[in-house]
Amino acid sequence: MITDTQISIEGLRRSFPSANGSGEVTVFEDVWYKVDRGEFVCLIGHSGCGKTTLLNILAGLDAPSAGGIIVDHEEVTGPSLDRAVVFQSHALMPWMTAFANIAFAVRSRWPEWSKTKVRAHCQKYIDLVRLTGAEDKKPSQLSGGMKQRVGIARAFAIEPKIMLLDEPFSALDALTRGSLQDELLSICAATSQTVFMITHDIDEAMLLADKIILMTNGPHAKICEIVENTMPRSRTRHDMHRHPHYYPIRNHLIEFLVNRSTEFEKELSSSDYDPRHPPVVRPGLSRLAVLQSPAERAADGNTDGETIQASA
Amino acid sequence: MSLSLRWRAAVLTVFIFFAFTATWELSVGGHGGAATMSPEYAALMGATAKGASAMPGPLKVGGQLWEHVLNPFYDKGPNDKGVGIQLGYSIARVAVGFLLAVLMAVPLGFLIGMSPLFYKALDPFIQVLKPVSPLAWMPLALYTIKDSTISSVFVIYICSVWPMLINTAFGVASVRREWLNVARTLEVGRLRTALRVILPAAGPTIMTGMRISIGIAWLVIVAAEMLVGGTGIGYFVWNEWNNLSITNVIAAIVFIGLIGMLLDQVLAFFTKLVTYVE
């Protein structure tokens, strides 16, 4: 199987000066991970484990204290139009209309485009996130969900190679969140977009992600393990919970967030943990199962894992 | 009672106005106690000697106001110009000084706001210079510039510059980080970020500074023109005081108040244009 690595996070560490000024606080360290092209990856962890910091470094808005990130064979040294960010707080410019917010991004990407071309391009993405008719409204006149739709449209409109999402739905109510997740999923499927998303919502991660990175608690947070989502990509919010893999994966994630994320240090000392190759697990296939060979998976009578590998 | 709050307030305003003018009219009416002075002195003192107050009543002031309104632009020599001409001089000085201050304070405030180094380095100067009464600069201005009109413009400039400078720097420095991050991820250049993101984000704060400045400038021009003399509404007030025409002084106060309100409303209109709801 040929894997096409698009993002390679290599030995990343981020430290900040401590509050009392006597030394440094390391938020996370020794973080190694590779994201394949077209893959949807979610990062889960408690607040304080440096999720947003990690995403900011990926975006080029922050610099690591050690290690680095390679995207398409080039080191990340600053922000780029190839990596679009959807911010947690939508970050729309309140003095611009929804349309102008998106057009600002489009003109930044293609300054040579004519006015009509920019207009048509923006309209396409406004329609895509189902905001048709609300183009000329200011963000203050839009609901929370609509604001985030504009944020998503702005990010997709510049047709980035990588999409970075920082808990984009965390401030929304459950119903709005659900419909936005569905739309994000369909847009990503249509564009086979590489996505790196931060969340603390387990169901969101299971619905959207091909792989879920579990991060231990900070300070000195690390990647605990990678959970492969073995449910088929055709899963939806309505039928996902009926899939036989749903509860094993969900229980595994909850178990991690509730217990293991705090006790990982103990777990570390009693295993052969290698930060360069964090263990990959498929709790959907069998609980506590460590990486199986494709033959074994076939023996399980399950081809979903194959589907995911093929689409990755 | 189905009158809206606005109408009830208007009725109350009119009532207070009439109550005030009635009290004023009654309190300046003639009263006794003028019999003991010599006839020559009484002749010098005019009506005051007969027991009337030099303080005019509202009807007299109203009549004088109306005369000024009917004929605002007459010019009968240096000491007798229409109030419109005098106000024109004052407004022109305020406008020139204020615009010079805008040209200086907004770019400099941008620089200070964008650079934490400049912010910290220039802060002591601003903190010390800001509380200095602008009139204290007047001797310095007269000595160096040697022209009274330019000196009064300079005084307007120096008093307008601080609120704008401080507000611009503060507005620019406190632009939300996330908006700047959006611009950075979109690889927007420095100039475009300044014009399309920072300027509109800091716009309301900058305009508030301008509004404070124009208010102070209008306060200061009256005092400055009293000092410098020659022309302007401040000089008019002082000249009428020397003429012992309290009627004209009160009329001038009314005009100064009205123009001050007008200037504030103009700035308020522009502030509204740049204000956004988060």
Side-chain angles (χ1 to χ4, degrees):
Chain A
M1 185 172 57
I2 300 153
T3 55
D4 181 7
T5 303
Q6 190 169 21
I7 311 173
S8 179
I9 302 170
E10 300 181 0
L12 213 62
R13 173 170 69 82
R14 184 70 174 102
S15 307
F16 292 101
S18 64
N20 56 26
S22 65
E24 287 192 321
V25 177
T26 298
V27 187
F28 54 78
E29 59 188 357
D30 230 350
V31 173
W32 299 74
Y33 189 73
K34 283 181 166 57
V35 182
D36 290 340
R37 203 173 300 280
E39 207 168 34
F40 198 128
V41 175
C42 267
L43 179 82
I44 284 194
H46 285 282
S47 36
C49 75
K51 300 189 296 274
T52 297
T53 311
L54 182 63
L55 188 108
N56 281 345
I57 296 173
L58 262 169
L61 294 169
D62 195 2
S65 308
I69 295 173
I70 314 282
V71 172
D72 287 319
H73 314 292
E74 271 182 62
E75 189 177 0
V76 171
T77 51
S80 159
L81 279 159
D82 290 336
R83 279 164 279 130
V85 186
V86 177
F87 296 88
Q88 186 175 4
S89 54
H90 62 75
L92 301 179
M93 317 273 179
W95 56 88
M96 294 184 192
T97 61
F99 181 87
N101 265 289
I102 298 168
F104 180 68
V106 172
R107 283 203 194 93
S108 306
R109 175 82 179 188
W110 298 284
E112 71 283 1
W113 276 16
S114 70
K115 218 169 179 173
T116 39
K117 197 165 183 191
V118 168
R119 175 155 278 279
H121 188 81
C122 293
Q123 195 61 49
K124 185 176 130 195
Y125 283 91
I126 286 168
D127 297 344
L128 194 67
V129 296
R130 298 198 293 141
L131 272 177
T132 320
E135 298 92 332
D136 296 327
K137 287 190 175 155
K138 295 270 174 77
S140 58
Q141 296 165 296
L142 300 174
S143 68
M146 288 164 97
K147 279 183 214 166
Q148 200 51 282
R149 282 200 166 97
V150 180
I152 291 169
R154 177 173 65 185
F156 275 98
I158 61 170
E159 292 173 0
K161 289 180 182 158
I162 296 163
M163 196 72 163
L164 305 168
L165 299 108
D166 183 7
E167 299 192 36
F169 309 133
S170 62
L172 306 176
D173 63 89
L175 280 173
T176 314
R177 196 187 308 151
S179 59
L180 271 173
Q181 285 164 352
D182 287 346
E183 276 160 41
L184 180 65
L185 208 54
S186 65
I187 299 171
C188 288
T191 54
S192 56
Q193 184 77 50
T194 309
V195 185
F196 189 95
M197 173 164 156
I198 285 170
T199 180
H200 53 230
D201 183 332
I202 287 175
D203 281 309
E204 183 169 282
M206 288 172 63
L207 174 65
L208 299 174
D210 304 321
K211 282 179 189 153
I212 302 165
I213 306 173
L214 304 181
M215 201 113 163
T216 63
N217 286 3
H220 302 281
K222 290 178 185 65
I223 291 181
C224 173
E225 61 189 20
I226 320 293
V227 174
E228 260 185 41
N229 192 348
T230 44
M231 289 188 286
R233 256 198 166 181
S234 58
R235 62 191 174 267
T236 67
R237 231 162 9 108
H238 311 287
D239 63 14
M240 177 172 76
H241 59 278
R242 294 199 198 96
H243 196 277
H245 295 181
Y246 177 78
Y247 279 106
I249 298 176
R250 196 169 196 278
N251 290 344
H252 185 89
L253 295 176
I254 290 176
E255 166 70 15
F256 169 79
L257 281 181
V258 175
N259 299 319
R260 289 175 59 212
S261 61
T262 46
E263 294 161 2
F264 185 63
E265 290 298 323
K266 275 184 242 161
E267 210 177 297
L268 249 186
S269 52
S270 63
S271 73
D272 52 352
Y273 173 78
D274 175 9
R276 280 172 181 251
H277 304 282
V280 180
V281 295
R282 296 193 178 113
L285 295 181
S286 79
R287 290 204 65 185
L288 305 174
V290 191
L291 193 60
Q292 289 170 301
S293 69
E296 282 173 301
R297 239 180 300 140
D300 275 356
N302 187 298
T303 53
D304 296 345
E306 297 287 345
T307 317
I308 286 174
Q309 295 294 344
S311 65
Chain B
M1 279 299 286
S2 59
L3 280 176
S4 72
L5 180 68
R6 205 172 152 179
W7 276 105
R8 281 184 286 156
V11 168
L12 192 59
T13 304
V14 171
F15 173 77
I16 291 171
F17 178 77
F18 278 109
F20 171 73
T21 41
T23 318
W24 179 10
E25 183 69 49
L26 289 175
S27 57
V28 296
H31 42 76
T36 49
M37 60 178 73
S38 77
E40 278 171 37
Y41 186 56
L44 270 174
M45 294 296 283
T48 323
K50 298 185 197 86
S53 169
M55 179 64 80
L59 291 174
K60 206 174 161 197
V61 172
Q64 189 72 20
L65 274 174
W66 186 240
E67 263 179 50
H68 283 307
V69 170
L70 285 180
N71 192 10
F73 298 114
Y74 69 87
D75 188 353
K76 296 176 190 163
N79 282 337
D80 193 7
K81 291 189 205 302
V83 78
I85 291 179
Q86 305 287 31
L87 281 168
Y89 276 114
S90 300
I91 293 171
R93 280 171 195 151
V94 164
V96 173
F98 178 79
L99 288 177
L100 285 176
V102 170
L103 290 180
M104 155 98 180
V106 174
L108 191 64
F110 238 83
L111 183 73
I112 296 173
M114 300 252 269
S115 151
L117 177 70
F118 273 102
Y119 204 113
K120 278 204 156 55
L122 292 177
D123 194 52
F125 297 103
I126 296 172
Q127 295 302 335
V128 168
L129 292 177
K130 184 184 65 159
V132 175
S133 164
L135 293 173
W137 293 94
M138 189 59 101
L140 214 57
L142 287 170
Y143 178 73
T144 49
I145 302 171
K146 297 186 175 68
D147 180 287
S148 61
T149 300
I150 301 179
S151 293
S152 54
V153 169
F154 171 78
V155 166
I156 293 306
Y157 161 81
I158 204 84
C159 77
S160 319
V161 94
W162 306 116
M164 280 194 265
L165 188 65
I166 291 165
N167 269 48
T168 306
F170 175 75
V172 168
S174 47
V175 170
R176 292 252 293 269
R177 182 108 228 121
E178 54 189 38
W179 297 334
L180 297 174
N181 279 345
V182 169
R184 287 179 64 200
T185 55
L186 294 174
E187 295 186 55
V188 179
R190 285 176 85 92
L191 185 66
R192 190 157 174 256
T193 305
L195 293 178
R196 294 293 313 274
V197 180
I198 299 174
L199 189 62
T205 320
I206 296 173
M207 284 307 298
T208 305
M210 289 187 183
R211 209 172 154 187
I212 297 170
S213 285
I214 200 100
I216 295 176
W218 191 242
L219 291 179
V220 166
I221 192 67
V222 175
E225 286 168 346
M226 280 182 179
L227 268 177
V228 172
T231 47
I233 194 70
Y235 172 71
F236 177 83
V237 171
W238 200 248
N239 203 28
E240 295 305 320
W241 163 237
N242 287 335
N243 292 340
L244 216 64
S245 172
I246 305 292
T247 315
N248 267 331
V249 171
I250 296 175
I253 287 173
V254 173
F255 283 123
I256 292 169
L258 289 174
I259 297 292
M261 185 180 78
L262 201 70
L263 290 176
D264 188 59
Q265 290 301 309
V266 170
L267 268 288
F269 172 76
F270 285 116
T271 308
K272 215 174 165 183
L273 285 187
V274 299
T275 299
Y276 52 85
V277 190
E278 274 191 51

